[in-house]
Structures are given as structure tokens and as C-alpha cells.
């Protein structure tokens, strides 16, 4: 049990990568709160995890709004008296060519992916400092934060921003005992990527860009999040950890 008794909040924790992290953390003994916008899916995820853990609940809320984020953190503190791990996983991605990208679409990506990560990190870190908690904050970035993919200028920019935000947090919070790291997954099979996976004409050539020759699964990102949440990574902060089957290092 690598997270026995630890209190964790995972945003976007009802689906895909976030849900896999919630399951993995709960399996390792953590008390887990999941937050998100889709209440029916949050209920389903809580029900699934309740089958093996009694320490699970959800908070409905939208990470782009400061009052919602504060409510998430307050709910965790009210229930368990502390917060030790925050996973900023909530995110959106709706591709659009750069020349046609709408301002509203740009703003939406910035508000949810980047500002949401800032708001939740600040609110959680303030509580960690107040409670003298040696916390771990994990920001869900992407390989798109380290290299640019076409039709994703807004998404790429938010993930690049998350990487620098992570480093900035690590610089300022390190002396306070709080670590901040980013996870940069490659192509992971979730509802976000399902349209491409289900299109044989598109997925065939795409797989050739990945040295390991396959897409990843959410559980493989959850294992990396577990490492960053646990004491196994106790001397790591400000790191952007790439988990991508080798996609980013391949030139041809
Ligand atoms: N799937 C991939 O290939 C991949 C690769 C790299 C990074 N990521 C990142 O992983 C994270 C999870 O993505 P996923 O693939 O599991 O897709 P997903 O759509 O299943 O997960 C996103 C989650 O965020 C929640 N969410 C969205 N907007 C929100 C908001 N405003 N407030 C609160 N919750 C909100 C959704 O309800 C959902 O639960 C995202 O940050 C994504 O950018 C995914």
C-alpha cells in the first residue's frame, strides 16, 4: 500500500485517465475525492470504487471557476481534515486549424486546462502550507506540451503553459515541502482519442510514429501518477515526466 491513508483530490476523475488514477490510488490505500462537471459519471465512478474502498466521494464542479475549485478543496478538508495529493487532470481538447480557430475556443482551453490547473493548485497549496502538509501536486500535461501537433494550437499552448507553471510552482513551493510535477502522456486510449482509434485509415499511420507500436492505456498513466504521488519520488520536483511509448524521441 504505497498511499496508505493519504488524502487525494483528482479533478476530471470520473472518466479516462483521471478515473484510472482514482482507482489506482484507492487500491493503494488512499482516501480519494474525484471532482468534475458530469455528475452521472461521477456517481458511476464512486459506485465502482466503493466496491473495494469506503474512502471515496465526489464533488461536482467546474475547474475554470474559482468558487467551484475552492468548494472542492473545502469539501476534502471538511471530510478528511487534510489534502496531501492533488491531481490536476481535468482537461479538454477540441482540434481546430490555426487559421480558423475561434477566440471563444481558445479562451475555453485556457480557462479549463491552464487556469483551472492554477486555481486548484493555488487553493490546495495554500491549505497544504496552512496544515504543514508535505504535499504532492501532479499536473496532467501532455507530449503536446513539449512538441506541437497540428490543429491543436490552443491545446498545445495550454500544455506547454502547464509545464512552466509546474516548474514555477516547484521553485516557489519546494522550501515549503510541496512538490509539483507534470505528467506528459502520449497517445492514450480514452474517449478523447476514440474517434482517431476507431478510424483505421488514420490510426494505422499514427501508430508508426510510436516506437512501441501501440497506444497507451489509462492504467499506464495511473502507475506513473502513483509514483509521483508517493514517497518513491520524494526528491523529484518540477519534472515533466514523459510516458509515451517513445513517440517524442522518434525522428523518422
Ligand atoms: N487521452 C490522451 O491521449 C491524453 C494524452 C495526453 C494528455 N491527456 C490529458 O489527460 C487528461 C484526461 O483526459 P482523458 O483522455 O482521460 O479524457 P476525458 O475526457 O475522459 O477526461 C477529461 C476529464 O476532465 C473533465 N473535465 C473537463 N472539463 C472540466 C471542467 N471544466 N471542470 C471539471 N472537470 C472537467 C471531464 O469531465 C473528464 O472527466 C486531460 O487533461 C488531457 O489533456 C490525455
Amino acid at each position: 500500500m504505497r498511499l496508505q491513508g493519504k488524502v487525494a483530490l483528482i479533478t476530471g476523475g470520473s472518466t479516462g485517465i483521471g478515473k484510472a488514477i482514482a482507482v489506482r490510488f484507492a487500491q493503494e490505500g488512499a482516501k480519494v475525492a474525484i471532482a468534475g462537471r458530469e455528475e452521472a459519471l461521477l456517481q458511476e465512478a464512486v459506485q465502482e470504487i466503493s466496491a473495494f474502498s469506503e474512502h471515496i466521494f465526489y464533488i461536482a464542479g467546474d475547474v475554470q471557476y474559482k468558487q467551484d475549485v475552492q468548494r472542492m478543496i473545502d469539501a476534502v478538508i471538511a471530510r478528511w481534515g487534510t489534502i496531501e495529493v492533488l491531481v490536476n487532470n481535468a482537461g479538454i481538447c477540441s482540434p481546430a486549424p490555426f487559421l480558423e480557430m475561434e477566440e471563444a475556443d481558445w479562451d475555453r482551453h485556457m480557462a479549463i486546462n491552464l487556469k483551472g490547473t492554477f486555481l486548484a493548485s493555488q487553493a490546495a497549496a495554500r491549505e497544504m502550507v496552512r496544515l504543514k502538509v508535505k504535499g504532492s501536486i501532479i499536473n496532467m500535461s501532455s507530449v503536446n506540451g513539449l512538441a506541437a501537433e497540428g490543429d491543436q494550437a490552443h491545446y498545445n499552448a495550454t500544455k506547454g503553459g502547464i509545464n512552466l507553471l509546474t516548474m514555477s510552482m516547484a521553485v516557489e513551493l519546494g522550501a515549503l515541502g510541496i512538490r509539483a510535477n507534470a505528467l506528459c502522456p502520449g497517445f492514450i486510449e480514452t474517449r478523447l482519442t476514440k474517434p482517431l482509434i476507431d478510424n483505421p485509415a488514420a490510426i494505422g499511420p499514427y501508430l508508426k510514429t510510436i516506437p512501441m507500436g501501440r497506444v497507451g492505456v489509462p492504467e499506464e498513466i495511473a502507475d506513473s501518477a502513483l509514483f509521483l504521488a508517493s514517497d518513491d519520488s520524494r526528491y523529484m520536483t518540477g519534472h515533466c515526466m514523459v510516458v509515451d511509448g517513445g513517440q517524442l524521441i522518434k525522428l523518422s
Side-chain angles (χ1 to χ4, degrees):
M1 291 280 188
R2 289 157 73 188
L3 296 180
Q4 188 60 49
K6 291 255 187 222
V7 170
L9 169 64
I10 301 158
T11 67
S14 66
T15 60
I17 292 171
K19 182 173 150 196
I21 294 172
V23 169
R24 194 78 185 92
F25 282 15
Q27 286 168 340
E28 292 292 334
K31 298 173 178 171
V32 176
I34 56 175
R37 292 195 293 192
E38 298 163 280
E39 200 150 356
L41 293 174
L42 287 163
Q43 280 168 0
E44 261 177 48
V46 164
Q47 201 174 5
E48 188 182 319
I49 294 169
S50 299
F52 63 91
S53 169
E54 55 185 302
H55 305 297
I56 174 81
F57 78 108
Y58 76 85
I59 310 123
D62 188 323
V63 297
Q64 66 189 300
Y65 302 122
K66 190 173 179 172
Q67 66 274 20
D68 281 25
V69 168
Q70 193 60 53
R71 199 163 41 72
M72 294 170 195
I73 306 290
D74 289 348
V76 174
I77 305 277
R79 183 168 291 225
W80 291 316
T82 190
I83 179 161
E84 291 158 305
V85 179
L86 169 69
V87 184
N88 284 304
N89 168 78
I92 56 162
C93 176
S94 50
F98 180 72
L99 293 177
E100 287 151 36
M101 193 170 279
E102 302 279 351
E103 184 182 353
D105 209 16
W106 172 271
D107 287 346
R108 208 162 51 90
H109 281 74
M110 290 295 151
I112 295 173
N113 296 4
L114 187 53
K115 185 176 159 194
T117 299
F118 159 68
L119 289 173
S121 296
Q122 189 187 54
R126 283 176 173 165
E127 287 302 322
M128 288 172 181
V129 171
R130 184 178 71 81
L131 297 163
K132 299 189 170 51
V133 164
K134 306 289 176 217
S136 172
I137 298 177
I138 301 162
N139 295 328
M140 196 56 66
S141 179
S142 168
V143 288
N144 293 50
L146 297 163
E149 185 171 356
D151 293 343
Q152 311 231 10
H154 45 16
Y155 183 77
N156 298 335
T158 63
K159 297 300 185 181
I162 285 175
N163 289 345
L164 257 297
L165 172 63
T166 303
M167 294 179 212
S168 307
M169 285 161 49
V171 165
E172 293 197 39
L173 301 176
L176 299 166
I178 301 166
R179 300 185 296 115
N181 292 288
L183 253 176
C184 300
F187 194 88
I188 308 301
E189 187 171 350
T190 68
R191 64 180 186 175
L192 214 62
T193 52
K194 194 137 184 13
L196 179 56
I197 290 170
D198 289 346
N199 178 351
I203 193 65
Y206 194 91
L207 287 180
K208 292 197 168 61
T209 68
I210 306 172
M212 288 184 73
R214 64 169 178 86
V215 302
V217 293
E219 290 72 22
E220 288 168 325
I221 304 306
D223 283 340
S224 303
L226 172 62
F227 170 69
L228 292 177
S230 76
D231 282 349
D232 290 352
S233 60
R234 62 194 170 277
Y235 196 52
M236 273 176 73
T237 196
H239 185 64
C240 300
M241 191 165 144
V242 176
V243 185
D244 69 342
Q247 188 177 24
L248 209 56
I249 49 89
K250 189 166 187 281
L251 276 182
S252 64

